[in-house]
Amino acid sequence: MFGLTRAKKAAALAAATAAAAVTALLTAPAAGAAPQPIVGGTTTTASAYPFVMQITNASQSQFCGGTLVSPTKVVTAAHCMVGRTTGNTMVVGGRTYRNGTDGTVSRVSKIWIHPNYTTATRGEDVAVLTLSTAMPYTTAKYVSSSDTGVYAAGTTARILGWGTTSSGGSSSNQLRTATVPIVSDTSCAGSYGSSFVRSEMVCAGYTSGGVDTCQGDSGGPLLIGGVLAGITSWGEGCAQAGYPGVYTRLTTFSSQVSAQVNS
């Protein structure tokens, strides 16, 4: 399901483990202490987050998210762009609803995928799109390579997207948002083992689950202090207890993103 949805770790697990994970997902307790219980969360609007973009096919059917960082540049996940071309990929800004007709639609003139990208679970899950039409919306600031302190455990982060509201469920027609805490690298490694690459990934979510990005949210922003600090990448299930969402650690790739933005 790479390129169309939030990437999944399940394909890399043994059958018995995968079956157990499905059971855990179905029975995961609600996060009673979590605010805004994407999966969980609340609806919002494109005017509230004007830099959040829909990435669509040629028919304007949304399959991933992205973040406008300059009028003609959108940061998204590499796994969203695998197999895509400039001819079958479009970006829509200023549109709150997936089935809407408002906003600004642009063709994509260039797709940059990190040259070392292979799969989301190996890292380098970052891409930059160059738009043919400039977007007339406020852009997002993004972290520099020196801003590594933003990922302190417990820091509140904001997630956004039009993805499913449960694992394998239906996509949200309206943009949704939620807040999740950054998880320590040690805790995330305890959940995902060697698939968690500390230098290139960061985890966010509640120990009890309940709030998370999900299928269709890939490529969307992880905001810390209103600044783009991560890209929705992958995870085991969605909102599953003990398995926080995994995001691209943007500080690691900030210089490469800047090179594309300024090109």
Side-chain angles (χ1 to χ4, degrees), residues 154-182:
T155 300
T156 298
R158 182 164 295 279
I159 50 179
L160 294 121
W162 290 267
T164 61
T165 55
S166 63
S167 185
S170 299
S171 294
S172 174
N173 184 41
Q174 184 173 352
L175 179 64
R176 295 181 68 84
T177 184
T179 56
V180 285
I182 298 298

Side-chain angles (χ1 to χ4, degrees), residues 2 7 79 117-125 195 201 233-234 246:
F2 288 82
H79 78 261
Y117 175 78
T118 54
T119 66
T121 53
R122 292 187 179 181
E124 290 94 21
D125 195 11
S195 291
M201 303 173 186
S233 183
W234 64 281
V246 185

Side-chain angles (χ1 to χ4, degrees), residues 156-261:
T156 298
R158 182 164 295 279
I159 50 179
L160 294 121
W162 290 267
T164 61
T165 55
S166 63
S167 185
S170 299
S171 294
S172 174
N173 184 41
Q174 184 173 352
L175 179 64
R176 295 181 68 84
T177 184
T179 56
V180 285
I182 298 298
V183 174
S184 72
D185 292 345
T186 299
S187 179
C188 193
S191 296
Y192 290 112
S194 60
S195 291
F196 175 66
V197 183
R198 296 182 185 222
S199 62
E200 300 180 7
M201 303 173 186
V202 62
C203 285
Y206 295 94
T207 302
S208 56
V211 183
D212 197 6
T213 46
C214 204
Q215 292 92 17
D217 291 321
S218 281
L222 176 81
L223 304 171
I224 300 177
V227 176
L228 180 65
I231 303 166
T232 301
S233 183
W234 64 281
E236 174 59 36
C238 303
Q240 186 170 319
Y243 289 96
V246 185
Y247 301 81
T248 302
R249 188 179 292 250
L250 194 55
T251 51
T252 300
F253 306 102
S254 180
S255 296
Q256 289 166 298
V257 168
S258 290
Q260 295 302 314
V261 170

Side-chain angles (χ1 to χ4, degrees), residues 142-148 150-151 227-228 250-252 254-255 258:
Y142 59 94
V143 290
S144 70
S145 57
S146 62
D147 291 333
T148 54
V150 301
Y151 304 113
V227 176
L228 180 65
L250 194 55
T251 51
T252 300
S254 180
S255 296
S258 290

Side-chain angles (χ1 to χ4, degrees), residues 31-126:
Q36 303 177 330
I38 306 188
V39 180
T42 58
T43 55
T44 187
T45 64
S47 59
Y49 298 96
F51 46 78
V52 179
M53 301 283 109
Q54 292 185 25
I55 298 177
T56 78
N57 61 18
S59 300
Q60 296 184 38
S61 178
Q62 183 267 345
F63 61 87
C64 271
T67 305
L68 189 73
V69 295
S70 89
T72 60
K73 302 289 181 174
V74 173
V75 173
T76 187
H79 78 261
C80 287
M81 292 296 108
V82 172
R84 307 298 305 182
T85 68
T86 56
N88 65 16
T89 305
M90 304 184 80
V91 172
V92 181
R95 184 176 292 178
T96 295
Y97 296 92
R98 293 176 74 244
N99 66 354
T101 57
D102 56 340
T104 303
V105 180
S106 176
R107 294 187 179 276
V108 173
S109 61
K110 178 185 175 183
I111 299 173
W112 176 84
I113 297 175
H114 192 286
N116 295 333
Y117 175 78
T118 54
T119 66
T121 53
R122 292 187 179 181
E124 290 94 21
D125 195 11
V126 56

